[in-house]
Amino acid sequence: MIDYRSDTVTKPNADMLQAMIHAELGDDVYGDDPTVNALEARLAKLSGFDAAMIVNSGTQSNLCALLAHCGRGEEYIVGQGYHSYLYEAGGAAVLGSVVPQPIKEQDNGELNFNDIAAVIKEDDSHFAKSTLLSLENTYCGKVIPLEYFARARKFADQHGLDIHLDGARIFNALTAINLELKDICQYVDSISICFSKGLGTPMGSVLCGNLEFINKARRIRKMVGGGTRQAGIIAKAMDYALDHNIERLQIDHANAVLLADLLTECNKLSVTTPQTNMVYIDLDDSVDGEVLAKLLIAEGIKISAGQNLRLVTHLNISTADIIYTADTIKETISLMSGEM
């Protein structure tokens, strides 16, 4: 089955599994798992921060960050379509009494600084205190450029805000614009990096920030059940991914462009040219997205059904798979439309 639903469906290859099996282990809650400690030190150096902390998931990483930055009754400003607001079950509000202030993101994924300024609260007992600006890169496969973060840093400093970056797919962004991790991290106060998407590990994320922030986040991680024991098994997979799966993201991006180019040949589809590994497609009203998804499963292709499709390329999808997929989608739509 060729699975385009997300890059979260990736599975570790044989070499990554061997690295995990041979990882040197300890109890991470006690701080004595050498593989975890080495990975955290490596991510701290790569990001330019003092410290880093391994967590189970991107959701847990963002939760620890939001609760470490904001106290009860304080507010974070965030895009209303950003993952840390829309897709994480309201964890910061439910578990930390942190107030979200969502605003509409622009088409390119950025938040307009005038829109942000309009919702920053006065220092008044009637209002939640505006404490944090939460950004995202990539957003729906779109790359937020370095210049935006430089402007965001200046803006945040002027308004007394910290900046957290949900960088779940930050290495996709960095690959697209040919930058290093610390190039963007210099402009934010913390970053969450997911390894179980395009980097191909079975689970795990890393939160980076200064030492005081990470120490606070580590306590929160324990509170929400994220303190794990022999976590070096996962840390070793992350270490392998840093060595082997970042440079190859270029292949995923090229495959996404190829898929988009091939599908533009079908007049029943409106295809957006991808910037990274996500292909967005709007189906003509004459094509039933639910039916299309069911027919494609029979041909060995799995997508998320709907009239607005997102097809995500990743390390388990080859260029041959892309060509087969494009041909099959076009043939299936022709059959559905009675054109064959």
Side-chain angles (χ1 to χ4, degrees):
M1 189 66 67
I2 309 170
D3 196 338
Y4 289 92
R5 292 173 299 167
S6 177
D7 44 10
T8 60
V9 303
T10 53
K11 297 176 182 178
N13 63 19
D15 289 340
M16 180 181 285
L17 288 172
Q18 282 299 311
M20 295 168 69
I21 289 171
H22 296 291
E24 186 179 0
L25 304 178
D27 188 321
D28 182 45
V29 175
Y30 284 119
D32 62 8
D33 188 306
T35 307
V36 170
N37 293 342
L39 177 76
E40 291 176 344
R42 184 178 184 183
L43 263 296
K45 183 176 181 179
L46 287 173
S47 64
F49 284 114
D50 299 333
M53 178 183 73
I54 188 173
V55 292
N56 294 320
S57 67
T59 296
Q60 190 173 78
S61 184
N62 282 332
L63 176 64
C64 290
L66 294 177
L67 269 57
H69 281 296
C70 303
R72 293 172 63 87
E74 294 184 341
E75 173 185 88
Y76 74 104
I77 300 167
V78 62
Q80 66 184 33
Y82 284 4
H83 207 283
S84 60
Y85 168 69
L86 187 59
Y87 296 106
E88 296 180 358
V94 174
L95 302 176
S97 297
V98 176
V99 182
Q101 172 59 72
I103 60 175
K104 177 65 177 175
E105 61 279 345
Q106 299 181 99
D107 290 341
N108 63 2
E110 297 175 4
L111 300 183
N112 182 279
F113 293 115
N114 290 331
D115 293 340
I116 299 170
V119 299
I120 295 175
K121 312 298 185 292
E122 298 177 17
D123 187 5
D124 186 298
S125 60
H126 292 86
F127 306 128
K129 181 181 179 183
S130 301
T131 301
L132 179 69
L133 175 60
S134 182
L135 301 174
E136 187 170 320
N137 200 13
T138 62
Y139 170 71
C140 293
K142 300 172 184 176
V143 179
I144 313 301
L146 185 67
E147 294 77 14
Y148 178 81
F149 288 93
R151 293 168 57 209
R153 178 75 273 164
K154 183 177 180 180
F155 175 91
D157 289 344
Q158 289 171 345
H159 292 86
L161 302 174
D162 285 342
I163 300 176
H164 172 64
L165 176 57
D166 179 358
R169 294 181 175 89
I170 191 62
F171 283 110
N172 289 94
L174 297 172
T175 297
I177 54 182
N178 194 29
L179 292 176
E180 300 294 327
L181 182 59
K182 63 176 60 177
D183 293 333
I184 281 185
C185 289
Q186 66 179 312
Y187 297 118
V188 302
D189 297 288
S190 61
I191 185 172
S192 171
I193 304 168
C194 186
F195 281 77
S196 62
K197 296 183 172 71
L199 298 185
T201 69
M203 61 180 288
S205 290
V206 173
L207 179 64
C208 304
N210 67 39
L211 184 58
E212 180 181 2
F213 168 81
I214 291 298
N215 286 340
K216 188 174 182 180
R218 201 174 293 277
R219 174 179 286 272
I220 294 166
R221 183 189 70 172
K222 178 65 176 176
M223 187 188 308
V224 298
T228 49
R229 301 300 178 176
Q230 285 71 44
I233 293 176
I234 299 303
K236 196 64 178 179
M238 294 179 179
D239 197 54
Y240 178 93
L242 289 173
D243 289 336
H244 298 91
N245 289 350
I246 293 178
E247 186 173 347
R248 65 149 311 283
L249 291 173
Q250 299 175 36
I251 299 172
D252 299 340
H253 296 181
N255 280 339
V257 171
L258 175 61
L259 181 61
D261 288 345
L262 293 173
L263 290 177
T264 56
E265 300 170 1
C266 179
N267 61 13
K268 300 291 185 179
L269 305 176
S270 176
V271 185
T272 301
T273 301
Q275 295 181 23
T276 55
N277 67 326
M278 296 184 183
V279 181
Y280 284 87
I281 304 168
D282 295 329
L283 300 180
D284 186 85
D285 291 340
S286 64
V287 179
D288 188 320
E290 299 286 339
V291 174
L292 176 63
K294 291 178 182 178
L295 292 173
L296 290 177
I297 286 179
E299 303 298 329
I301 299 168
K302 186 175 288 188
I303 65 173
S304 296
Q307 293 304 111
N308 308 110
L309 306 179
R310 183 191 76 166
L311 275 58
V312 185
T313 60
H314 50 76
L315 57 80
N316 294 143
I317 295 177
S318 67
T319 302
D321 292 333
I322 295 292
I323 296 170
Y324 169 76
T325 298
D327 289 342
T328 303
I329 289 176
K330 289 184 287 187
E331 291 172 6
T332 303
I333 289 177
S334 293
L335 287 170
M336 293 173 65
S337 303
E339 297 175 359
M340 295 182 68

